[in-house]
Amino acid sequence: MRQRVILWTAVLAVMGWMSYGIWRGEAAAALERSRAGEVSAPEETVKEQKLIALTFDDGPHPVYTPMLLDGLKERNVKASFFLLGGNIEGNEEVVERMAEEGHLIGNHTYSHVQLTKISPEEAEREIAGTNEKILAASGVLPRYIRPPYGEWSEQLEAMTAMEPVFWNVDPQDWKILDRKAVADHIIKHGADGAVVLLHDSYETTVEAALEVIDTLEKQGYTFVTVDELLVD
Ligand code: NI
């Protein structure tokens, strides 16, 4: 009996010493953090950064792309543009402006073809021809491609050095052509890491995109180019 009492006393003493040690460790760490100025906000209020990327396909458009660039500049927001090589001629200054203002310029083929339905040689021409036009207009060689219809293959992956960029929010702006409906769809489905598919060939899309930026920025979102979402 006496031995048991001694044993229990010893166990309790060890436990007490251990919890004092843990408490002391935590207290010291907390003190350390507060000295470093790290405990200025409780954990729940530390805001995680929410990132979202607006992407615009099928441009450049001579009227609506500059209109969009004006709105993005006013808001200091960067977007990603996947250009059609066939739309660049005559709009080189718009492409140059995209690069100057910090937007990401990608490839969307020359003539909006489904790359998986043509020969590898034709696909290569579609991609290279567009890269050449973009390089000549902006001085930047694209690294990313948005394959039309989202159709890509392992063969294309192996053949080109380009990285495909898909999307996870599609408001079908080109079809519904309604500022409010497009904006509402994006605001409803917007989430951290969202890549939004849009087309800068319509005034309704430009207006919707700018409205989305104003609304989601108030909700704590930061708009970034797609490469910033792909890097992990
Ligand atoms: Ni397209």
Side-chain angles (χ1 to χ4, degrees):
M1 183 65 192
R2 196 167 157 247
Q3 270 180 337
R4 231 180 243 182
V5 168
I6 288 168
L7 181 67
W8 276 110
T9 309
V11 166
L12 288 172
V14 167
M15 281 169 69
W17 174 78
M18 279 170 70
S19 48
Y20 170 71
I22 291 165
W23 170 81
R24 208 175 52 168
E26 278 175 1
L31 187 66
E32 197 67 1
R33 281 198 303 272
S34 73
R35 276 195 191 131
E38 283 168 24
V39 260
S40 46
E43 228 160 279
E44 314 85 72
T45 63
V46 173
K47 226 173 29 197
E48 266 191 46
Q49 212 183 6
K50 295 187 285 183
L51 304 181
I52 186 163
L54 296 181
T55 68
F56 297 90
D57 288 10
D58 298 2
H61 187 280
V63 176
Y64 301 124
T65 306
M67 189 186 282
L68 175 62
L69 290 173
D70 289 344
L72 293 173
K73 193 176 181 184
E74 241 172 70
R75 291 159 178 81
N76 195 25
V77 161
K78 312 296 175 218
S80 307
F81 292 88
F82 293 96
L83 308 182
L84 288 174
N87 280 352
I88 292 175
E89 199 166 329
N91 293 312
E92 287 89 348
E93 281 175 27
V94 181
V95 181
E96 190 183 4
R97 185 181 162 190
M98 284 173 185
E100 274 173 10
E101 296 182 358
H103 302 293
L104 181 142
I105 304 175
N107 190 317
H108 194 45
T109 76
Y110 203 90
S111 51
H112 211 274
V113 282
Q114 188 172 326
L115 291 166
T116 50
K117 283 193 171 166
I118 56 176
S119 70
E121 294 73 29
E122 279 177 275
E124 183 56 46
R125 268 200 299 278
E126 283 278 338
I127 295 168
T130 305
N131 278 348
E132 278 163 29
K133 288 268 185 190
I134 293 170
L135 181 62
S138 70
V140 179
L141 184 65
R143 178 176 160 200
Y144 298 97
I145 183 166
R146 158 81 40 82
Y149 317 104
E151 294 293 333
W152 192 243
S153 67
E154 277 178 23
Q155 191 186 13
L156 288 162
E157 185 82 45
M159 194 182 83
T160 80
M162 310 216 61
E163 280 188 50
V165 174
F166 302 96
W167 59 88
N168 48 31
V169 177
D170 179 7
Q172 304 235 302
D173 62 319
W174 56 275
K175 196 156 91 185
I176 59 180
L177 299 172
D178 182 299
R179 175 194 59 80
K180 192 177 182 311
V182 171
D184 287 351
H185 180 101
I186 301 167
I187 292 162
K188 189 177 164 201
H189 295 92
D192 183 34
V195 177
V196 184
L197 173 63
L198 289 164
H199 302 82
D200 49 329
S201 330
Y202 311 100
E203 190 169 13
T204 44
T205 293
V206 173
E207 291 171 346
L210 300 178
E211 187 183 323
V212 163
I213 292 167
D214 294 338
T215 304
L216 291 185
E217 278 192 337
K218 284 190 199 118
Q219 294 179 18
Y221 281 92
T222 301
F223 287 84
V224 295
T225 48
V226 279
D227 54 335
E228 292 179 68
L229 289 184
L230 300 170
V231 174
D232 257 325

